[in-house]
Amino acid sequence: MGHFVPAKLGQRENLVMVMFSILYTINIAISNVSLALVSVPFHQVVRAMTPVFTVILSILFLRKSYPQQIYYSLIPVVFGVGFATRDEYTFTYMGFFLTVLGAILASVKTIVTNRIQVGRLKLNPLDLLFRMSPLAFIQCLVYAHLTGELVSIQVFAKDNITVSLASGLLLNGLIAFALNIVSFTANKKTSALTMTVAGNVKQVLSIVLSVVIFDYVINLMNAFGILLTLVGGAWYGHLELTLKKKAQQQVLPTVNDTLTDSNSIMMEQKDPLLDNNGLSEKK
């Protein structure tokens, strides 16, 4: 994991990396902009629909299919976040559109991340991050310049930057770097749908941490939603693991089958006079 050899990409593959970085930048930008136009609970509820969008997109464009149990397990995962974040829902029409668009783009981003790592390119997570980060950084600088945010940062940093603030920003960057590595690696080893389910579980765990660390007060409905999401996530994880084990058992030969095949080959090599019925021909 700590060492990788950069893959040699052609012009077409490099173009894919540019488009992928643009997708990441736009997804983050739309999510941040939509937060200013809708309430946080509404934003979280819509983002909880990401697993549903992932299933729909995978079926439409990747021709994937899922067992019925997987669909059932997504119900508590999605509705649990709604109960856990139940509060006053406020939004504008533009905010509603951008929030839904952000959830769809998050699904597309997760699917594309998985395909780049397990598809034809098969990029190492560190290799993918190494190629995408500089492009996304340049795009964010251009976006910040066009919106005037870059000037605001310069004015703020001139009088308010301190060693502790700079250290906090550096620590935040290191945590984000580690998060991306873990996220890419988990996406490669699991699936896009698994990552979106984990994202919903992460939302309710954030609420739990807020209760423990910041004494955030929740009601009975919020607690029920947290429990429902965690149960749904555990159910989905159990189903995913069971399905993978069944798939491996169907692909890999059993020990008895291997021994039988080996004995048959040895018998044929030992007695070349055996006919198709296993009986020796009489001279």
Side-chain angles (χ1 to χ4, degrees):
M1 184 62 198
H3 176 268
F4 72 97
V5 178
K8 295 182 180 179
L9 303 182
Q11 184 176 1
R12 181 180 177 181
E13 288 78 11
N14 285 323
L15 181 60
V16 171
M17 288 295 100
V18 173
M19 298 302 295
F20 180 63
S21 65
I22 293 175
L23 173 63
Y24 249 81
T25 303
I26 293 177
N27 176 60
I28 294 173
I30 288 180
S31 179
N32 290 339
V33 171
S34 64
L35 272 172
L37 303 174
V38 301
S39 62
V40 174
F42 179 81
H43 187 272
Q44 290 177 317
V45 166
V46 175
R47 297 289 287 196
M49 293 294 294
T50 304
V52 177
F53 294 137
T54 302
V55 168
I56 295 174
L57 293 173
S58 298
I59 293 174
L60 291 178
F61 297 102
L62 300 180
R63 300 290 186 264
K64 295 189 69 173
S65 61
Y66 300 92
Q68 278 191 333
Q69 299 95 317
I70 293 293
Y71 296 124
Y72 295 150
S73 68
L74 295 180
I75 295 176
V77 171
V78 173
F79 282 93
V81 176
F83 288 121
T85 59
R86 184 69 177 89
D87 205 339
E88 184 179 358
Y89 296 141
T90 59
F91 59 90
T92 62
Y93 289 116
M94 179 57 69
F96 177 85
F97 170 75
L98 291 178
T99 305
V100 174
L101 178 60
I104 296 175
L105 288 177
S107 300
V108 175
K109 178 199 70 175
T110 308
I111 293 172
V112 174
T113 302
N114 180 264
R115 298 309 303 166
I116 287 177
Q117 295 185 106
V118 303
R120 187 169 58 87
L121 293 180
K122 290 183 172 59
L123 290 184
N124 182 284
L126 281 173
D127 195 1
L128 176 58
L129 189 61
F130 173 74
R131 296 174 187 277
M132 187 200 69
S133 297
L135 296 172
F137 173 71
I138 294 173
Q139 293 156 16
C140 287
L141 282 181
V142 173
Y143 177 79
H145 173 71
L146 294 176
T147 57
E149 187 176 357
L150 201 58
V151 176
S152 301
I153 293 175
Q154 291 174 344
V155 173
F156 175 82
K158 184 177 180 181
D159 299 323
N160 299 281
I161 193 70
T162 61
V163 175
S164 60
L165 179 59
S167 300
L169 291 174
L170 177 61
L171 178 61
N172 185 66
L174 292 174
I175 293 174
F177 172 72
L179 174 62
N180 280 322
I181 293 178
V182 173
S183 177
F184 287 170
T185 304
N187 195 326
K188 182 176 182 178
K189 293 183 179 296
T190 56
S191 67
L193 180 58
T194 300
M195 293 302 297
T196 56
V197 171
N200 280 21
V201 174
K202 178 196 70 176
Q203 287 197 53
V204 300
L205 288 179
S206 299
I207 299 175
V208 173
L209 287 177
S210 298
V211 172
V212 174
I213 299 175
F214 304 110
D215 295 327
Y216 180 75
V217 179
I218 61 174
N219 55 37
L220 189 59
M221 181 178 293
N222 299 142
F224 171 73
I226 292 172
L227 181 61
L228 188 63
T229 305
L230 294 178
V231 170
W235 183 16
Y236 171 85
H238 173 71
L239 290 174
E240 186 76 9
L241 184 60
T242 302
L243 292 173
K244 283 188 176 182
K245 287 183 177 179
K246 287 183 178 180
Q248 290 176 352
Q249 290 175 356
Q250 291 175 355
V251 173
L252 297 176
T254 61
V255 176
N256 292 332
D257 292 338
T258 305
L259 292 176
T260 303
D261 293 340
S262 301
N263 292 334
S264 299
I265 295 173
M266 291 177 62
M267 287 292 293
E268 291 177 1
Q269 292 177 347
K270 184 176 180 180
D271 193 351
L273 297 179
L274 289 176
D275 59 12
N276 293 332
N277 296 323
L279 299 176
S280 299
E281 296 179 353
K282 294 182 180 179
K283 296 184 179 180

